[in-house]
Amino acid sequence: MRTIDGYNFSNKKALIRVDFNVPLTDDFKVSDDSRIVAALPTINKILKDGGSVILMSHLGRPKSGPEYKFSLRHIVEHLSEKLNADVKFAGDCVGKEPSELAASLKPGEVLLLENLRFHKEETKGDESFARKLASLADVYVNDAFGTAHRAHASTAIIAQYFPNDKMFGYLIAKELEGINKLFSNTQKPFTAIIGGAKVSSKIEILNNLLDKADCIIIGGGMMFTFVKARGGNVGNSLIEEDYLDVAEEIEAKAKRLGVKLLIPEDVVVADSFSNDANFKNSDASNIEAGWMGLDIGEKSARDLSRVIEDSKTIMWNGPMGVFEMENFAKGTKSVAEAIARATDSGAFSLVGGGDSVAAINQLKLADKISFVSTGGGAMLEYLEGKVLPGIKAISG
Ligand code: AMP
């Protein structure tokens, strides 16, 4: 892996693709700076080497051209404080102003470019736009894992203009290391836990994991398509009729490969989709008409926790139930706690995907998990076995 570690940035201008897509308050103050903080180690390493830094990012989803509310100008003050340095700002990312500011940048100085997505060429992956960005610097560093699955100008296309001077920053390197640990030299048994609403959005992950995991636990709304495919009664639970065949195929593939496919035996059912609904425990394959499964049951939570605790490698994506509602959050909580216990006993654990990460943070368990991925869509695509354009552009 080509990372910034083996490179001396002394007197070099480094163009870093960061993810500064941070939430802002109504008066344009940074309300959560975790993404800025996460990028500091990469920036500081380059400055410490005696290099200068040019930062580029997107912010929000501007429709066409510049929009004040999506200007990266809003974060200059916050970034300056965090870096303990005066951050210069260019009111555009290409053209005369950024070129002049970049040319006069001295070692130790930092320049932030305006929102890349103010130019439609960015998301289109336009080559001449990428070349203009590239002309600002000597070295290209990609440290934005969240956009690595996009073939945008700043995330992938630009790398070709730095054949010998392109590399990953610390953030991306850590994400790749974490995910690669699941797939190479994997400590066995490897248990993957997949939950969430729909089978349709998880088919490719399931297929890829079937070739790698020893055991796959299926929870969340998607379990009911599997239960129904097995001939069970699922009442009003979430079902994807069009995916009953897919569920059968996944079951058959698991059997063929000797992968244990564990589907919860009991569930918590409710008489409506609400935290105020009446609820009770039920056999997962015999749900009464008018009731719907909204969480895995107590027995399943216990059984699955045991499987998780006996695992040496664990991957979790997707909640076990409607964890946003307190009455249906227990299954997700017990799985999260089991993963934390397994990690404590030496297992490697990776948790990824918006909802599972939210659950881990809500339960204050983040520091008890080996790696919490912030990659979102990029992480899912990587787990699906896809080649990410932003990664390929640097690794080849
Ligand atoms: P996903 O984005 O596919 O990982 O799905 C996450 C969503 O699935 C969360 O908002 C959960 O509330 C929802 N979910 C989990 N279990 C169920 C269930 N049994 N019925 C309906 N929705 C569920």
Side-chain angles (χ1 to χ4, degrees):
M1 211 194 301
R2 282 203 253 180
T3 75
I4 55 173
D5 259 340
Y7 198 92
N8 186 350
F9 288 88
S10 172
N11 282 314
K12 300 271 187 193
K13 292 190 169 87
L15 180 59
I16 317 180
R17 177 50 161 107
V18 287
D19 178 2
F20 283 172
N21 185 25
V22 293
L24 299 175
T25 59
D26 287 344
D27 58 347
F28 304 113
K29 297 266 182 307
V30 176
S31 61
D32 176 352
D33 69 356
S34 357
R35 285 178 171 165
I36 295 176
V37 171
L40 297 178
T42 294
I43 301 172
N44 282 329
K45 138 84 183 164
I46 295 171
L47 295 177
K48 204 166 149 236
D49 269 9
S52 55
V53 164
I54 303 167
L55 299 165
M56 56 176 175
S57 175
H58 73 286
L59 175 66
R61 290 172 182 261
K63 283 190 199 74
S64 59
E67 276 179 71
Y68 181 71
K69 66 174 174 186
F70 295 129
S71 173
L72 279 166
R73 191 182 295 275
H74 303 310
I75 73 161
V76 171
E77 201 184 316
H78 199 104
L79 181 61
S80 298
E81 263 168 41
K82 287 285 157 191
L83 281 169
N84 209 5
D86 254 343
V87 173
K88 298 172 195 300
F89 182 73
D92 200 347
C93 56
V94 289
K96 196 159 171 271
E97 191 195 356
S99 296
E100 286 175 0
L101 284 169
S104 63
L105 212 56
K106 294 188 196 62
E109 292 187 334
V110 181
L111 168 67
L112 173 67
L113 305 180
E114 181 56 290
N115 195 341
L116 293 157
R117 292 198 189 162
F118 284 173
H119 293 263
K120 60 180 182 327
E121 289 86 350
E122 160 65 358
T123 49
K124 284 196 172 144
D126 184 85
E127 289 205 0
S128 90
F129 177 71
R131 199 177 324 114
K132 284 183 205 157
L133 290 171
S135 71
L136 301 173
D138 310 305
V139 189
Y140 168 65
V141 177
N142 189 353
D143 211 16
F145 186 67
T147 46
H149 58 318
R150 306 282 183 220
H152 292 171
S154 71
T155 61
I157 312 302
I158 191 173
Q160 64 188 295
Y161 303 111
F162 299 91
N164 301 311
D165 301 292
K166 53 181 181 178
M167 59 208 77
F168 298 118
Y170 290 134
L171 261 185
I172 284 209
K174 219 166 97 191
E175 290 273 352
L176 294 179
E177 231 169 71
I179 304 179
N180 287 339
K181 255 197 192 165
L182 294 179
F183 297 152
S184 54
N185 295 325
T186 318
Q187 295 289 313
K188 301 266 176 181
F190 172 15
T191 297
I193 308 147
I194 303 288
K198 292 180 172 173
V199 182
S200 51
S201 61
K202 305 281 163 88
I203 299 169
E204 289 178 68
I205 294 185
L206 284 171
N207 264 320
N208 195 31
L209 288 170
L210 277 170
D211 294 325
K212 301 178 167 85
D214 303 294
C215 174
I216 299 183
I217 294 172
I218 294 185
M222 61 190 278
M223 67 172 274
F224 298 103
T225 301
F226 283 87
V227 172
K228 186 158 183 189
R230 283 180 178 184
N233 298 320
V234 298
N236 277 356
S237 305
L238 192 67
I239 271 290
E240 287 173 285
E241 293 285 349
D242 294 349
Y243 286 86
L244 292 169
D245 289 352
V246 172
E248 272 177 36
E249 279 161 27
I250 289 172
E251 292 252 23
K253 184 171 173 189
K255 208 175 227 170
R256 206 167 57 242
L257 296 173
V259 177
K260 254 191 261 166
L261 198 66
L262 297 181
I263 296 170
E265 288 171 18
D266 68 334
V267 287
V268 178
V269 292
D271 57 1
S272 73
F273 191 79
S274 155
N275 195 47
D276 301 325
N278 295 307
F279 61 95
K280 60 185 182 184
N281 217 71
S282 163
D283 185 337
S285 57
N286 210 357
I287 299 176
E288 278 172 55
W291 293 75
M292 63 183 83
L294 294 185
D295 195 8
I296 61 174
E298 242 174 68
K299 178 180 183 304
S300 301
R302 257 197 324 272
D303 294 348
L304 297 175
S305 293
R306 224 166 286 135
V307 173
I308 293 167
E309 283 176 60
D310 286 341
S311 305
K312 288 274 172 286
T313 302
I314 302 157
M315 197 284 294
W316 177 33
N317 168 263
M320 295 292 98
V322 185
F323 78 108
E324 300 92 332
M325 301 180 193
E326 204 191 331
N327 287 337
F328 311 110
K330 285 198 192 81
T332 300
K333 183 167 182 252
S334 58
V335 161
E337 286 169 349
I339 299 173
R341 282 196 297 276
T343 313
D344 201 37
S345 324
F348 172 78
S349 57
L350 182 143
V351 176
D355 285 314
S356 341
V357 173
I360 287 289
N361 288 335
Q362 212 172 298
L363 295 164
K364 303 207 175 1
L365 290 175
D367 60 348
K368 299 211 153 65
I369 306 296
S370 314
F371 190 70
V372 178
S373 171
T374 53
M379 189 214 64
L380 294 185
E381 287 197 20
Y382 203 62
L383 289 179
E384 285 169 1
K386 289 190 183 139
V387 175
L388 308 187
I391 305 304
K392 188 162 174 251
I394 286 177
S395 297

